[in-house]
Amino acid sequence: MYGRMATTKLDLTGLKCPLPALKTRKALRALTPGALLEVHCTDPLSAIDIPNLIRETGDRVEITERGEQRIVFLIGKAAAAV
């Protein structure tokens, strides 16, 4: 669906709530529609905060990987609202 757009990686390991969600929002603003943002977090609250943020922005969480030490989100930037 997103073609071969570049993936921007955002390392937010070690940051605590609300910084991962705030930095993810800022990074998404800079992306063009169809681009992917890969976000790495260690704060357990990110598993709640980032999906909630994505529901607000209208973007899409493609993949969520949750390990013992980190959470990884792959977020697809939606087309601009008309």
Side-chain angles (χ1 to χ4, degrees):
M1 176 175 183
Y2 290 99
R4 295 178 179 246
M5 296 294 290
T7 300
T8 302
K9 294 188 179 181
L10 188 60
D11 183 2
L12 302 177
T13 56
L15 296 180
K16 297 292 182 192
C17 181
L19 288 175
L22 295 173
K23 289 186 177 284
T24 298
R25 181 187 300 268
K26 184 176 181 181
L28 281 168
R29 284 191 191 127
L31 296 179
T32 57
L36 295 172
L37 179 64
E38 183 178 311
V39 182
H40 294 252
C41 303
T42 51
D43 183 2
L45 290 176
S46 298
I48 298 167
D49 294 342
I50 290 181
N52 284 338
L53 166 69
I54 300 310
R55 276 192 287 279
E56 289 175 18
T57 63
D59 299 308
R60 184 170 164 182
V61 175
E62 294 293 312
I63 298 172
T64 304
E65 174 188 318
R66 189 168 188 163
E68 282 187 37
Q69 300 297 320
R70 69 177 183 164
I71 304 164
V72 179
F73 300 95
L74 186 61
I75 302 166
K77 175 71 175 176
V82 178

